[in-house]
Amino acid sequence: MANGYRSAIDDRLGGIPQGAADTAREGIANAVEVAPSAGSHAQDLLHAARQSFVDGWQQAMWAGVAVMGVLLVYVALRE
């Protein structure tokens, strides 16, 4: 999930001060913590972090669905 978050947030950090953007790339908790120091970009940073978290979560869930599907087929064919 962390890799999905990082890849999703990279494209959303345009205009965010470099220091805050670098910290936000480390995770959503870091983004929330550093947002107040981003000044007028705080809301943009929080929105980018939330959206990126959801994107990362969705990628992780779809990967889980794929693994479970493969396991289901494997178990079904073994019996």
Side-chain angles (χ1 to χ4, degrees):
M1 188 165 117
N3 288 335
Y5 170 83
R6 283 188 201 102
S7 66
I9 200 166
D10 279 338
D11 295 335
R12 294 184 171 121
L13 292 175
I16 305 296
Q18 187 64 40
D22 290 342
T23 301
R25 283 184 185 92
E26 296 173 13
I28 190 166
N30 296 61
V32 170
E33 185 176 326
V34 77
S37 70
S40 62
H41 299 287
Q43 290 303 314
D44 295 333
L45 177 58
L46 290 172
H47 180 71
R50 286 184 195 116
Q51 289 300 115
S52 299
F53 180 81
V54 169
D55 288 351
W57 178 81
Q58 286 176 332
Q59 289 175 9
M61 292 302 107
W62 281 116
V65 166
V67 169
M68 293 305 290
V70 169
L71 289 174
L72 176 67
V73 170
Y74 174 75
V75 169
L77 292 176
R78 281 193 47 156
E79 294 184 7

